[in-house]
Amino acid sequence: MKTFTHFVLMSLALVAGTYCNAQSAETMLKDWNRAKEFTMEYLEAMPEDKFDFKPTPEIRSFAQQMLHMTDAHYGFASAASGTESPVGFGDSEKTTDTSKENVSKLVAEGYDFVMNSLKKMTDEQLKEPVKLFGQFEMLKGEAFQKAFEHQTHHRGQATVYLRLAGATPPGEKLF
């Protein structure tokens, strides 16, 4: 059983390494820049007076969704790149200023941190192992991909917030 488990883990590492090989730092930077532009369009689409809008009382507001996403950007990019985060874990989400102007500024800064962290990394460094949040073993490139997946998830949720607030979400931006 131990040999089989070792074989499966090695196979997964090989597949993950191949996947990360396909994603160069340059390609990732293009995707992150596009994602930042897309997210900023979401922030622009939401009316100022609806940033604290919650579809139901027990879930995050629109602003909190965006700030949660931003906190994750700092956490993932810091862990993957070894760059010290200027923001403590969860600090963005704790802000009391949920104005459109402040949230947009914080979100943009979070994207910039990810992209600046990526700019400092080589394609070879993206293939190095990292233990994300002290528990998830993966390659550094995978950590950036997980962060990208996370922001896509929360931006997708924001589509519903916009619609319920009477705003129109921006058109899809795949390329």
Side-chain angles (χ1 to χ4, degrees), residues 35-95:
K36 177 186 176 184
E37 289 174 8
F38 197 23
T39 301
M40 300 312 289
E41 290 175 15
Y42 268 74
L43 291 160
E44 185 56 37
M46 181 60 90
E48 169 77 39
D49 65 337
K50 300 289 186 182
F51 265 60
D52 288 322
F53 171 71
K54 291 181 168 188
T56 63
E58 65 276 359
I59 64 174
R60 293 181 178 108
S61 69
F62 177 80
Q64 290 169 327
Q65 283 282 20
M66 294 293 156
L67 295 170
H68 167 76
M69 180 180 68
T70 299
D71 279 332
H73 287 167
Y74 284 107
F76 278 95
S78 178
S81 69
T83 303
E84 185 176 343
S85 173
V87 174
F89 193 71
D91 283 354
S92 298
E93 206 170 342
K94 293 175 190 168
T95 186

Side-chain angles (χ1 to χ4, degrees), residues 52-161:
D52 288 322
F53 171 71
K54 291 181 168 188
T56 63
E58 65 276 359
I59 64 174
R60 293 181 178 108
S61 69
F62 177 80
Q64 290 169 327
Q65 283 282 20
M66 294 293 156
L67 295 170
H68 167 76
M69 180 180 68
T70 299
D71 279 332
H73 287 167
Y74 284 107
F76 278 95
S78 178
S81 69
T83 303
E84 185 176 343
S85 173
V87 174
F89 193 71
D91 283 354
S92 298
E93 206 170 342
K94 293 175 190 168
T95 186
T96 57
D97 181 356
T98 56
S99 67
K100 183 174 190 165
E101 179 182 1
N102 190 53
V103 171
S104 297
K105 176 182 148 309
L106 294 174
V107 169
E109 289 171 353
Y111 275 101
D112 290 343
F113 180 76
V114 172
M115 291 186 287
N116 288 330
S117 297
L118 258 173
K119 285 176 187 174
K120 296 175 187 173
M121 299 191 72
T122 66
D123 291 346
E124 288 306 310
Q125 288 172 316
L126 291 173
K127 298 173 194 168
E128 294 173 359
V130 67
K131 193 167 193 173
L132 193 64
F133 308 129
Q135 59 183 339
F136 304 106
E137 293 185 24
M138 63 187 67
L139 301 178
K140 291 177 179 181
E142 287 176 291
F144 280 103
Q145 291 295 336
K146 293 291 183 189
F148 197 87
E149 179 181 344
H150 181 263
Q151 63 91 37
T152 301
H153 167 77
H154 286 288
R155 190 179 52 235
Q157 289 178 322
T159 299
V160 177
Y161 285 64

